[in-house]
Amino acid sequence: MKKVVLIAGDGIGTEITAAVVSILEKANAKVQWIEKKAGLAAHQESGNALPEDTVEAIKEHRIALKGPLTTPVGTGFRSVNVALRQQFNLYSNIRPARTLPNIDSPFKNVDMVIFRENTQGLYIGREHWIDEDTKNHAESIAVVTEAASRKIIKAAFEYARANGRKKVTLVHKANILKFTTGLFLEVGRSVAADYSDIEFEDLIVDNMAMQMVMRPQRFDVVVTTNLFGDILSDLASGLVGGLGVTGAANIGDDAAMFEAVHGSAPDIAGQNKANPLALLFSSLMMLEHIGQKQTAEDIRKAIYKTLVERKVYCTPDIGGEGTTSTFTQAVCDNI
Ligand code: NAI
């Protein structure tokens, strides 16, 4: 049994985590859940959105599965998601986007995995006003280091090699941001030299955005900096049906956190309408990470079978007429 910290989260979080837990149980996943709190619910209960015992549990068990957390806009506590990524140096954000059967999309045969650097770039939050009085001139600083770039790019190549992928595409803007993304590109070229079995190409981010909608099938593994990765990974999700059907992992050297990328959907919370697929796909990434690949594959097959044969049992966001419960039951029946 592998101990995994389970953070149900806010809004639809409890419904989708319950669905995922029962599907993994049905598939005989060797997982023992350690339930902990974070987010708005934790804040209301203890005044702390990221309680110390949740952090301690992740430190101890090193693997977490996390539902969506509500983050108040403008005021209140800062994003727990960002805090967890920083605290555990979860530098690889991994977002697969694969065409699913019976999910409506004009894009066919998409199968790409985006590796986004999760800790640097423009997202370090180093911003200031040039003139504090007028607040009409702001500046933001991006940080890129050779060490962090090497880690994420190596992670992308290692993933490609381990998963029989053929190509790594590095995305940058080195024609304009010559120092920061220029460094990222230079490191990419040097890492690529150690992986002669895998094709390497680099693309400028604007071209990449166009290519992704014109010929998404040409991409395999993609690696890029934080801001570009944030945008392109949502774009990639959009190609295959949206954030409700794509999973995500945040992986560091000492810990890994798997999560749905969508939010807590307060508009449908408690109505048995939430689609658990995104968190379910994230949990399959978790099973693969902890060495339970066959169980992940069994569940993946059951999901595909459900989408093909029992779409009517799926949730309304993907064109079904069912509920969280009917979808969960259908997947369990197909395992
Ligand atoms: P959201 O993703 O919660 O909802 C956007 C729309 O998508 C809503 O109409 C919602 O009903 C629908 N939706 C989302 N997930 C769904 C699912 N699994 N099944 C069916 N429909 C689904 O985004 P929103 O409304 O901008 O944010 C709500 C809260 O979630 C905010 O407090 C925000 O900070 C937080 N949030 C948390 C994230 C995380 O924990 N990773 C990510 C994004 C937002």
Side-chain angles (χ1 to χ4, degrees):
M1 282 286 171
K2 176 79 191 163
K3 287 187 179 160
V4 173
V5 176
L6 179 67
I7 301 169
D10 300 310
I12 58 171
T14 37
E15 296 161 74
I16 60 175
T17 42
V20 168
V21 165
S22 60
I23 291 168
L24 264 60
E25 198 176 293
K26 175 75 186 181
N28 283 325
K30 303 282 175 277
V31 168
Q32 184 187 336
W33 302 108
I34 311 290
E35 288 186 43
K36 292 290 167 190
K37 290 202 169 128
L40 189 61
H43 189 258
Q44 283 164 347
E45 198 179 289
S46 65
N48 186 355
L50 185 54
E52 199 45 44
D53 75 318
T54 302
V55 174
E56 284 306 315
I58 301 173
K59 264 188 202 152
E60 186 181 345
H61 304 298
R62 293 158 175 248
I63 308 282
L65 179 68
K66 186 185 77 57
L69 307 178
T70 299
T71 308
V73 177
T75 56
F77 56 84
R78 65 190 273 266
S79 165
V80 173
N81 298 319
V82 174
L84 282 170
R85 284 173 202 163
Q86 286 173 348
Q87 171 132 13
F88 292 100
N89 191 23
L90 305 174
Y91 57 85
S92 289
N93 181 254
I94 308 172
R95 298 265 304 267
R98 186 188 291 172
T99 297
L100 293 164
N102 247 343
I103 299 279
D104 207 21
S105 167
F107 303 96
K108 307 291 171 219
N109 304 318
V110 177
D111 185 8
M112 70 175 84
V113 184
I114 298 191
F115 279 68
R116 159 189 170 193
E117 203 292 320
N118 223 4
T119 59
Q120 302 200 323
L122 269 171
Y123 282 21
I124 53 165
R126 228 175 275 167
E127 289 191 302
H128 59 260
W129 298 110
I130 299 294
D131 183 340
E132 271 291 340
D133 296 330
T134 60
K135 291 199 171 32
N136 64 2
H137 187 173
E139 199 171 63
S140 184
I141 293 168
V143 167
V144 172
T145 66
E146 199 260 341
S149 303
R150 190 167 291 279
K151 274 187 163 199
I152 183 78
I153 296 165
K154 253 180 102 62
F157 273 98
E158 284 296 324
Y159 175 93
R161 192 175 263 174
N163 291 277
R165 299 272 181 169
K166 304 271 178 289
K167 183 168 76 173
V168 172
T169 304
L170 182 146
V171 180
H172 61 91
K173 187 75 186 176
N175 51 332
I176 305 292
L177 303 169
K178 292 178 195 291
F179 286 29
T180 48
T181 81
L183 173 59
F184 194 77
L185 174 59
E186 274 318 302
V187 176
R189 286 182 175 142
S190 104
V191 173
D194 296 333
Y195 294 84
S196 54
D197 49 325
I198 294 162
E199 190 189 333
F200 175 69
E201 67 172 354
D202 70 88
L203 282 186
I204 293 174
V205 64
D206 31 343
N207 182 21
M208 177 70 184
M210 181 188 71
Q211 300 278 344
M212 274 177 74
V213 283
M214 292 192 74
R215 284 197 302 143
Q217 302 78 10
R218 63 167 285 206
F219 297 110
D220 197 348
V221 175
V222 174
V223 64
T224 189
T225 48
N226 208 341
L227 170 66
F228 299 157
D230 190 10
I231 299 166
L232 294 177
S233 56
D234 269 27
L235 198 164
S237 290
L239 299 173
V240 299
L243 298 186
V245 298
T246 43
N250 296 281
I251 298 182
D253 291 334
D254 301 320
M257 181 177 75
F258 300 81
E259 63 178 345
V261 188
H262 60 70
S264 53
D267 53 334
I268 56 163
Q271 297 172 31
N272 202 16
K273 285 184 187 163
N275 186 354
L277 255 184
L279 191 66
L280 187 54
F281 279 127
S282 308
S283 76
L284 302 193
M285 296 173 82
M286 179 197 84
L287 289 176
E288 284 162 3
H289 184 78
I290 60 178
Q292 300 184 27
K293 283 198 170 153
Q294 189 54 51
T295 313
E297 202 40 47
D298 294 346
I299 299 173
R300 195 183 308 280
K301 279 193 190 131
I303 295 170
Y304 278 47
K305 203 159 183 264
T306 304
L307 291 175
V308 172
E309 293 171 1
R310 301 173 80 177
K311 179 77 180 281
V312 67
Y313 292 111
C314 295
T315 48
D317 59 300
I318 52 168
E321 291 163 29
T323 60
T324 315
S325 315
T326 57
F327 172 78
T328 307
Q329 191 56 49
V331 175
C332 286
D333 292 346
N334 279 333
I335 285 174

